[in-house]
Structures are given as C-alpha cells and as structure tokens.
Amino acid sequence: MRYHIMESDDIRWNLATEEYLMNQADVTEPLLLLYIQKPCVIIGRNQNAYEEIDFRYLRENDVTLTRRVSGGGAVYDDLGNMSFSFVTKKDDTTFGDYRGVTTPILHALQEMGAEGATVGGRNDLYIEGMKFSGNAMYTRHGRTYSHGTLMYDVDLSVLDKILTVSKEKIESKATKSVRKSVTNVKPFLDEAYRQLSTPEFRDRLLCHIYHVTDLAQIEEQKLELTSADRQAIRTLFEEKYANDEWVYGQTPKFEFNRRTRVPGVGIVDIHLSTENGHISAIQFFGDYFGTKDTAELEELLQGVVYKHEAIAEALADIDVSEYILNFSTAELLQLLVG
C-alpha cells in the first residue's frame, strides 16, 4: 500500500487532489490519502446545503463550504480532525463494505489504546456508543474510493452551531443528515498519544498502519506529486470544488417561505423557490408600505445564485427601504438567507 499526505489545509484543494489521484494514480496496490484542514463543512453529493448549515455562523467564522462527489451527510472538519481516503481497484473492494475498508484504521487505533473502537451503523466508526468517524464511498472508472473523517481533537461545540437544520420549513427532496452522539477519539487513546498535535497523531497512526516506528522506514511507499499533477489539481480546485456552480448549483430544487413582523415595518412574507442553486421564483407579501413596487425587487433577484454574497451584490445599489419602508438591506438579507 502506498500513501500520500496532503500538503494543503484547504478542503477544496484536498478534495480536488483526491479526485485527481482516484482517476490518475496507479492503484495496482491500494493508495491511502491523509489530510487535515482548517474549519470547513463538506456536504454530500445529493444534499441541500440550506437544510444543513447555519450560513450566518459560516460567514461570521470564516468556515469554508464545499460539496463532495460521494453521498452521505454534512460533515464539519477543523484542524483537530484527520481525514483519510482509500483508493483501490473496483474489484478489490466491495461497495458498501466499510468494515473492510476501515479495518487498517481501526486496528491502528486499537493498538494506540482505543480498544473499544468498532464499526457501527451503516458507515460509521464508534467507541462506547459514540461516533468519531463518518465514511462515504463511490465507484468510478473501475476504481472504488472510500473516504472518512477521524475526529481526534475537534471543537465539538461548533457542531450544534453550524450543522443546524433551519427552523423555517423547507420543502425538498434532498438527503438530510442524521445527527448522532459524537466524540473525539483522543480521550480513549493511551496517555502518550493524548499529548500529540493532530499532524503528530496522523504520523503515529500511519506508523501503526504500516507496523513501523518511524515514517522514514516507509519513505519508498510515499507518493509524490509532479508539477503536472499540481496543475491538474489546481484546475479541479478552480473549476469544481471552489466554484459556486458546483457547491450551490448542485443543490436540489426546493422552496420555502419566511415571514416576520418588524416594529415600524409590519409583516414581510417572502415565498422563494430555487433550481440549480439559483432563485427561480420569488414573491413578497405583507402589510408593509413602500414608494416602489416590490415586483421590481422580485425581478432583480430572479436568477441570482442563492448565496448571501451573491444576493448582497445584487442589492448593492438598491435602497430596500424604498420598497419596504423602514426595512434595510441587512434585514432583507437576514430574512432571505439568514
């Protein structure tokens, strides 16, 4: 088995690297990828981001959002998480066999003290009834790719702040995440491993997987990227994982209405539909006053990417209070996207 440690701490670059290596790397023998990234949320291929995430928290805390090509639920990562991926020939892995794929990780963790670590549920790793790793899998071009998170020292307090289903009713066919009790694996490891930084933990885990005492002993198993590899990965990064058309444009069709009563304004009731991540229909209702017809606002917002920054840009030269008396652009944005 060969391995590659990602150099980047940007989830979008790392997912681009995964996809590139899955399609291009020699998988005569399995390939293990390891990566750590700054705070981010990764939604599944079929998910509606707006059902899963508190976008206000996302913006205010500079959390990166992207979408992966595999299914499953929304995941939050920070620098306390270590992600891992296995790429194999299709015939070498049974699709959905998460126990088989994660066995090297589980055995390594057990050797490091987490003796109760085990596979549980459909695709998760548990210890003492709590989830510390979620996994997803997909097959393409004769290869099977499985990736997962491993929470070592994640700030768990963030999970309920950012992975929060909106209180407003959203009608959608998208896949919703299933919430479970979660934990970091760090407290269950032997004392020597509880003092490590996440990169140090990653390296020690890798040594246990390969049954060596130092990474220098497996240097020949390390996969290095060429300049051509890096350029191809950059293209995937720019055209896919950091591209709004991928992150938002893949959002399943959905619709909702949001209604609020504001002192000095009255009732503002917005009915909105999206398709391919863009506003496909929007209507304003309520008992508010204004000197201009809100039909003009509706026309302006039609076709705009349903994203805070895109809507803010569309409204940049508009005085919202002319359409809804005493109502600001900031208040309208809050009502539209939170």
Side-chain angles (χ1 to χ4, degrees):
M1 181 171 67
R2 293 184 301 156
Y3 75 93
H4 174 70
I5 295 176
M6 306 279 193
E7 300 168 358
S8 173
D9 64 0
D10 187 322
I11 182 59
R12 299 166 299 180
W13 185 272
N14 291 339
L15 288 178
T17 303
E18 280 187 342
E19 181 172 343
Y20 173 77
L21 290 177
M22 176 182 176
N23 293 332
Q24 302 298 328
D26 178 5
V27 290
T28 304
E29 56 182 318
L31 173 62
L32 170 62
L33 310 175
L34 300 168
Y35 47 106
I36 298 166
Q37 47 261 331
K38 58 191 176 184
C40 58
V41 172
I42 311 102
I43 54 175
R45 176 67 179 81
N46 304 307
Q47 283 194 295
N48 181 346
Y50 305 105
E51 287 188 319
E52 305 292 336
I53 302 162
D54 183 330
F55 275 87
R56 184 174 184 178
Y57 185 93
L58 191 94
R59 292 191 303 273
E60 292 177 351
N61 293 275
D62 194 26
V63 178
T64 300
L65 172 66
T66 193
R67 183 185 297 274
R68 61 181 184 270
V69 295
S70 59
V75 175
Y76 170 75
D77 284 0
D78 63 18
L79 294 170
N81 177 79
M82 187 211 77
S83 293
F84 60 91
S85 308
F86 288 97
V87 184
T88 64
K89 290 188 295 185
K90 182 178 178 180
D91 294 341
D92 290 347
T93 301
T94 300
F95 192 84
D97 179 19
Y98 291 100
R99 181 178 297 276
V101 170
T102 57
T103 291
I105 300 291
L106 281 174
H107 285 175
L109 289 172
Q110 290 162 358
E111 289 176 7
M112 296 169 75
E115 296 179 359
T118 186
V119 177
R122 182 180 59 169
N123 57 337
D124 302 323
L125 303 184
Y126 285 82
I127 190 163
E128 294 189 7
M130 294 176 288
K131 173 182 171 179
F132 67 87
S133 171
N135 295 267
M137 189 180 292
Y138 71 98
T139 296
R140 182 181 296 170
H141 305 314
R143 300 168 181 227
T144 296
Y145 165 63
S146 177
H147 56 179
T149 58
L150 202 169
M151 294 191 295
Y152 172 67
D153 194 21
V154 173
D155 182 353
L156 299 179
S157 69
V158 174
L159 298 181
D160 284 333
K161 297 174 183 175
I162 197 165
L163 298 183
T164 303
V165 177
S166 170
K167 293 180 181 178
E168 302 292 338
K169 183 180 180 181
I170 295 179
E171 296 295 339
S172 171
K173 295 181 180 179
T175 305
K176 294 183 180 180
S177 295
V178 179
R179 303 299 297 276
K180 301 178 177 70
S181 291
V182 296
T183 186
N184 285 310
V185 76
K186 182 178 180 178
F188 300 94
L189 301 175
D190 291 338
E191 178 65 27
Y193 301 110
R194 297 202 296 268
Q195 312 305 316
L196 304 177
S197 66
T198 311
E200 290 170 337
F201 164 71
R202 174 200 62 205
D203 292 351
R204 295 315 305 159
L205 184 79
L206 191 55
C207 285
H208 278 277
I209 289 172
Y210 278 89
H211 306 292
V212 297
T213 56
D214 192 282
L215 290 184
Q217 296 173 259
I218 54 172
E219 187 67 25
E220 71 280 359
Q221 297 296 326
K222 188 175 181 181
L223 174 68
E224 300 287 358
L225 299 176
T226 66
S227 58
D229 293 334
R230 295 177 193 278
Q231 183 53 51
I233 290 167
R234 177 172 295 281
T235 299
L236 262 177
F237 168 83
E238 293 172 350
E239 295 183 355
K240 189 168 188 178
Y241 294 101
N243 188 328
D244 282 351
E245 289 304 314
W246 168 252
V247 180
Y248 295 92
Q250 297 296 316
T251 297
K253 206 173 166 181
F254 73 97
E255 59 186 41
F256 69 85
N257 71 280
R258 284 180 177 165
R259 176 186 172 101
T260 187
R261 180 186 291 276
V262 184
V265 176
I267 292 173
V268 181
D269 186 7
I270 301 175
H271 292 231
L272 183 147
S273 300
T274 76
E275 190 165 359
N276 298 324
H278 294 70
I279 297 173
S280 56
I282 182 169
Q283 285 185 290
F284 288 82
F285 302 93
D287 60 1
Y288 52 82
F289 295 97
T291 59
K292 291 187 175 182
D293 191 341
T294 48
E296 294 178 18
L297 268 183
E298 295 167 357
E299 185 177 353
L300 177 71
L301 293 172
Q302 185 89 12
V304 173
V305 175
Y306 186 56
K307 175 184 178 184
H308 186 277
E309 292 82 356
I311 296 173
E313 183 178 349
L315 296 173
D317 298 324
I318 298 297
D319 183 355
V320 170
S321 66
E322 292 183 325
Y323 298 90
I324 305 174
L325 187 65
N326 297 325
F327 205 54
S328 69
T329 300
E331 289 172 312
L332 178 56
L333 281 166
Q334 175 63 29
L335 189 58
L336 279 169
V337 288

